[in-house]
Amino acid sequence: MPVVTLRAPLKDLAGGNRDLTIDGPTVGDVLRTLEATWPKTAGWILDEHGAVRRHVNVFRNGERVDAATALGGDDHLQVLPSITGGT
Amino acid sequence: MPELLVGTKKGLFVLSGEGAEAYRITTRAFAGDVVEYAIRDRRTGRYFASVTSGFYGPRLMFADDPSGEWQQASGIAFAEGDDVSLERIWKIKPGEAEGQLWAGTDPAALWESRDGGETWSRNESLWKERIAGDWQPGGGGLALHSICPWPGDPMRLAVGVSAAGVWITDDGGESWRTGFTGIVPEYMPEDAREDTNQLCIHNMHRAPARPERLFMQFHGGVYRSDDQGETWTDIHDGLPSPFGFPLVTDPADPDSAFLIPMTGAEDRVVPAGNLGVFGTRDGGETWSRQGDGLPTDAYVTILRQALDRDGEGDGMSLFFGATSGEVFGSSDAGRSWFTVAPRLAPVTSVRVA
């Protein structure tokens, strides 16, 4: 199953878990399962329309992807803040 | 000891102090995030903060102790089927019913909590007015930023929207009517002014001692209404500019309002660097500048929610913060001023806890 790696503050919202194994056919499905399992993460990565937030980057095996990207069982997702989001 | 909640571009600062001395920072929360607005609900002691992360978006947080753990409120979010996303939570306002709070957002929507601020739901009848009226944003977005409950009557409420005018309800938000009459949008062509709903309200407050009276800072005008927001009279004569954002009223004196004019839409700093709060004690017939103790040559910007008051009458305290990071205070209704905090991050809001 795909592994999702989170950093602070998302890691803290997910019960302190840095790496989570979550099954799902697409990036969006995996992230929605993450939200359902750890409700405090809801709205932090995906917006109201199910898209990855503009200033958050999701990488699959080092390549930036969007919510519709299909996943395989050995994929590794990393969720990172974008360099564009600071104020 | 007075406690100030100062929202900034770099988190929430809780300041505590007494007298005309600099306050000390007792808490900094949400470091690095924009805190658009923060209040303490004096009925319950609960603190609320509107927090916008540059990465993870906007959310409403609450805590019983601002130095402790904050929790995220739920419900202030648009549905997947809506054509919008939440950009900012502008305002949180205690209501008149037990456990009731209101919130205003960008895109312009009114939200209500009945459980002390933990869960929220959208006011659907005003949302339908937004859709039907094709509300358009002002420079700061399409923002519902002013919420004016009627003291003692939870059924009556007025809200101000940039740029969609004044909306009034007498049935707790089941139905709404406009309060547009008398407002002159000089930024519109003359032949389009009468029918437009593009009315850029900048701030609106009720006079609690005479609830049918409201004061409004407009995008080019300062207005007073004596009929609960139905009709408006321009009262800006005597001010250095009709443009600005901050506004407060005195709960003891319905003829009083205090504001801080900016030069204009194209130059949003204090006119000629002459920093001061302008007050009226006669319903806007006359205005006087009150700036003793404030810096000169101060080309600073004071944002919409960065002016607040505590107490009332001649002993009323006033506090405001600038985007330059300074916070100033007065304990004599503006006659004299002192520096509360000299170097915070750019100030977005100031509220007395």
Side-chain angles (χ1 to χ4, degrees):
Chain A
M1 284 193 284
V3 172
V4 182
T5 298
L6 304 173
R7 293 186 185 179
L10 299 173
K11 184 185 78 165
D12 303 326
L13 297 170
N17 292 295
R18 182 176 183 273
D19 298 308
L20 293 154
T21 302
I22 304 173
D23 199 10
T26 69
V27 169
D29 292 318
V30 165
L31 294 176
R32 275 188 284 272
T33 301
L34 170 71
E35 290 183 346
T37 309
W38 300 100
K40 287 185 178 179
T41 65
W44 285 65
I45 305 170
L46 299 173
D47 67 15
E48 293 102 320
H49 310 293
V52 175
R53 286 193 172 279
R54 185 157 47 110
H55 299 299
V56 174
N57 287 335
V58 179
F59 294 90
R60 181 193 62 178
N61 309 328
E63 178 186 355
R64 189 178 170 195
V65 294
D66 60 26
T69 302
L71 289 176
D74 296 330
D75 283 338
H76 179 205
L77 289 182
Q78 295 188 69
V79 183
L80 298 169
S82 159
I83 59 170
T84 59
T87 56
Chain B
M1 183 176 289
E3 186 179 64
L4 285 187
L5 306 178
V6 181
T8 77
K9 293 285 188 187
K10 299 294 178 186
L12 171 67
F13 292 86
V14 182
L15 307 179
S16 186
E18 201 153 17
E21 302 286 337
Y23 285 26
R24 64 189 177 87
I25 299 169
T26 57
T27 294
R28 183 185 178 210
F30 311 110
D33 289 341
V34 180
V35 173
E36 317 277 7
Y37 189 71
I39 65 157
R40 175 175 170 269
D41 185 346
R42 295 181 181 182
R43 301 170 301 177
T44 61
R46 177 172 282 177
Y47 293 77
F48 293 88
S50 160
V51 183
T52 301
S53 162
F55 307 102
Y56 306 112
R59 56 194 46 87
L60 178 62
M61 308 295 290
F62 65 89
D64 293 328
D65 175 358
S67 63
E69 185 176 352
W70 290 76
Q71 299 179 65
Q72 184 170 334
S74 64
I76 302 184
F78 293 97
E80 192 160 345
D82 294 327
D83 60 348
V84 296
S85 297
L86 183 66
E87 299 289 338
R88 177 192 288 198
I89 301 165
W90 270 101
K91 185 83 171 185
I92 311 128
K93 182 79 174 178
E96 292 298 315
E98 186 177 352
Q100 182 189 48
L101 290 101
W102 300 99
T105 59
D106 175 1
L110 181 69
W111 308 78
E112 182 180 11
S113 171
R114 286 283 185 166
D115 61 1
E118 295 188 24
T119 63
W120 297 77
S121 59
R122 190 173 67 191
N123 182 283
E124 292 303 320
S125 57
L126 191 62
W127 183 250
K128 287 173 184 166
E129 297 285 359
R130 173 206 172 255
I131 304 295
D134 190 25
W135 293 1
Q136 296 299 310
L142 177 53
L144 195 159
H145 50 65
S146 293
I147 302 173
C148 304
W150 186 291
D153 187 350
M155 304 305 282
R156 306 171 83 173
L157 190 72
V159 302
V161 181
S162 175
V166 176
W167 291 82
I168 305 161
T169 180
D170 294 326
D171 55 15
E174 290 293 317
S175 63
W176 296 85
R177 64 184 187 280
T178 59
F180 293 178
T181 304
I183 303 171
V184 181
E186 295 192 358
Y187 47 81
M188 298 288 287
E190 280 188 38
D191 56 2
R193 289 176 187 171
E194 191 167 335
D195 297 327
T196 187
N197 68 353
Q198 292 187 40
L199 299 174
C200 193
I201 314 300
H202 280 191
N203 211 331
M204 186 171 74
H205 282 268
R206 196 181 296 279
R210 185 175 164 183
E212 67 274 18
R213 172 169 284 181
L214 295 114
F215 290 90
M216 182 217 294
Q217 172 70 66
F218 189 64
H219 185 108
V222 176
Y223 290 88
R224 192 191 75 226
S225 171
D226 292 337
D227 56 7
Q228 62 177 310
E230 303 267 1
T231 64
W232 296 88
T233 302
D234 196 338
I235 55 170
H236 88 266
D237 277 354
L239 290 168
S241 162
F243 193 90
F245 289 91
L247 171 69
V248 294
T249 55
D250 180 344
D253 180 4
D255 293 328
S256 287
F258 298 83
L259 45 79
I260 306 175
M262 301 288 119
T263 303
E266 294 80 23
D267 188 17
R268 299 179 182 205
V269 296
V270 169
N274 195 17
L275 180 59
V277 171
F278 284 76
T280 180
R281 290 290 195 187
D282 54 15
E285 290 289 321
T286 61
W287 295 90
S288 61
R289 176 183 172 275
Q290 298 164 312
D292 185 23
L294 292 174
T296 56
D297 293 334
Y299 289 84
V300 297
T301 302
I302 320 299
L303 297 179
R304 191 191 319 274
Q305 318 214 73
L307 168 67
D308 196 23
R309 48 142 284 277
D310 191 31
E312 57 189 32
D314 289 340
M316 182 171 68
S317 294
L318 291 168
F319 297 94
F320 72 88
T323 57
S324 54
E326 298 158 294
V327 179
F328 301 101
S330 167
S331 52
D332 53 13
R335 288 186 296 281
S336 63
W337 292 87
F338 63 98
T339 299
V340 172
R343 280 179 292 278
L344 298 180
V347 174
T348 54
S349 74
V350 173
R351 285 295 178 271
V352 181

